[in-house]
Amino acid sequence: QMDVSNPFNFNFIQNLKSIDVNNFDDSGPSVVFASPGMLQSGVSRQLFDRWATDPKNGVLIAGYAVEHTLAKEIMNQPKEVVTLEGRRQALNCLVDYVSFSAHVDFVQNRSFITQVDPKHIILVHGQKDEMGRLKSALLLQHRQLPENKRPSITMPPNLQEVKLKFARRRSAKVMGTLADRDEEPSEGEPVKGIMVTHNFSSKIVSPEDLSTYTPLRIGSVSSKLHVPFAGSIQTLHLFLNEMFMGVTQVDSDDGLNGGGASIFDLMNGQIKVTVGKERGVATVEWEASPANDVIADAVVALIMHSQ
């Protein structure tokens, strides 16, 4: 039944899934729809090279032809063309053009741009003259607007880099104890806290309120390092005082074998050095942070040089 009523079973039209151009039977009249349309390569270019010298043949360019392609070149009716093999041959066939495009036209483009109302318009992928007409029409259309509300309209050539800057105003809500104050904050007053952004919404909270207003929690890492030490406590104290200010020493009786032990506090208690609780070992303890890690490294170096 399909052989009889198939609407796509044409008597004089056939689909050439593959074609050998050199052995193609073109002894009778025929019309071939071939791609690519720019005639740069492929079946269309091979057939064109074969048929271009015969005045009985013709080429119909359907739609837009890109600059510097063979399709654009032959629309200017040159006397000669260059084949894929690099040979020059006469162009005797008929060349014509028909407007056929799957793209929107000028009116549709202008209507779309008007509805979107963009801040920047960049015109690409079109014939230079036609894009120039569209650019002129858009400039004329937006001329009645104030200058600060007119969109920028550019028509860059191929390979030219285009950079756009988008300024976005960002805001964040101050919440929790940071917002619990009697007087209004003054303009430009700094706010110290943690900014958390989720789904394009930002809030600033103090570290203590982080678990209340966000699903985040604050953690800390305590570091403890055992450093071999066989020197005297007095020498270590001297080295630490030479390097750091405000070093405090606390002595205790809970040292090894009932002896004395000394604890040195540095940088307001951020670094603690304990000597005497373990034989031949000085213990360095601190809350890990970029700054404290650097100071702890310096303390370890002092311990190693003080013995």
Side-chain angles (χ1 to χ4, degrees):
Q1 180 66 28
M2 282 297 293
D3 293 338
V4 177
S5 58
N6 185 357
F8 298 102
N9 187 15
F10 303 107
N11 293 328
F12 304 104
I13 300 176
Q14 57 179 321
N15 180 22
L16 300 176
K17 295 183 179 179
S18 61
I19 179 174
D20 184 359
V21 175
N22 295 324
N23 297 319
F24 179 62
D25 183 12
D26 57 353
S27 57
S30 62
V31 177
V32 180
F33 290 83
S35 63
M38 301 299 110
L39 297 177
Q40 291 295 94
S41 60
V43 175
S44 62
R45 178 60 180 273
Q46 292 173 324
L47 290 175
F48 172 80
D49 289 348
R50 179 172 177 170
W51 292 343
T53 57
D54 193 336
K56 297 180 181 179
N57 297 327
V59 179
L60 189 63
I61 305 297
Y64 169 68
V66 179
E67 292 287 344
H68 308 298
T69 63
L70 181 61
K72 184 67 175 179
E73 179 184 345
I74 64 175
M75 289 172 62
N76 296 324
Q77 299 289 341
K79 293 183 178 181
E80 291 183 334
V81 291
V82 179
T83 66
L84 276 176
E85 290 78 14
R87 295 181 292 103
R88 302 193 70 85
Q89 66 179 17
L91 178 63
N92 297 326
C93 66
L94 173 69
V95 179
D96 206 348
Y97 167 81
V98 60
S99 178
F100 176 81
S101 176
H103 300 288
V104 297
D105 59 13
F106 170 78
V107 177
Q108 292 169 318
N109 254 328
R110 185 176 61 181
S111 175
F112 174 76
I113 293 173
T114 302
Q115 294 180 44
V116 175
D117 191 22
K119 300 297 182 183
H120 306 279
I121 300 174
I122 303 176
L123 303 178
V124 297
H125 192 61
Q127 191 173 2
K128 185 177 181 180
D129 296 339
E130 297 298 327
M131 287 198 302
R133 289 180 56 246
L134 177 58
K135 178 181 179 181
S136 300
L138 292 174
L139 289 172
L140 183 63
Q141 177 180 332
H142 293 91
R143 191 169 60 181
Q144 69 272 16
L145 297 176
E147 188 172 352
N148 59 344
K149 293 186 178 180
R150 298 176 190 172
S152 64
I153 305 175
T154 56
M155 193 178 69
N158 291 340
L159 303 180
Q160 177 177 321
E161 184 178 301
V162 178
K163 292 184 178 181
L164 300 175
K165 293 183 178 181
F166 297 92
R168 187 179 67 170
R169 181 180 178 86
R170 298 186 61 184
S171 61
K173 294 182 179 179
V174 179
M175 307 179 69
T177 55
L178 290 179
D180 187 14
R181 51 189 298 174
D182 296 331
E183 55 186 26
E184 290 291 329
S186 59
E187 184 177 353
E189 179 181 348
V191 176
K192 186 177 181 180
I194 299 175
M195 185 172 71
V196 180
T197 301
H198 180 65
N199 291 337
F200 303 100
S201 177
S202 300
K203 60 184 72 172
I204 301 177
V205 298
S206 67
E208 294 76 16
D209 295 333
L210 196 63
S211 59
T212 304
Y213 296 98
T214 72
L216 303 177
R217 300 292 184 272
I218 292 181
S220 60
V221 178
S222 298
S223 299
K224 187 174 184 179
L225 189 63
H226 297 271
V227 183
F229 178 71
S232 67
I233 295 178
Q234 292 77 10
T235 303
L236 177 60
H237 192 185
L238 176 64
F239 272 67
L240 292 176
N241 275 323
E242 288 290 330
M243 178 63 68
F244 302 102
M245 296 181 59
V247 179
T248 60
Q249 179 179 353
V250 178
D251 297 323
S252 64
D253 297 329
D254 57 348
L256 183 66
N257 298 326
S262 296
I263 300 175
F264 299 97
D265 280 337
L266 291 76
M267 310 299 294
N268 297 322
Q270 297 183 51
I271 311 291
K272 183 171 70 173
V273 180
T274 304
V275 181
K277 287 191 175 183
E278 298 182 50
R279 184 182 301 277
V281 173
T283 304
V284 183
E285 301 175 75
W286 72 96
E287 291 294 325
S289 71
N292 287 350
D293 291 346
V294 173
I295 297 173
D297 286 343
V299 171
V300 171
L302 285 178
I303 293 175
M304 298 298 293
H305 282 81
S306 65
Q307 51 187 323

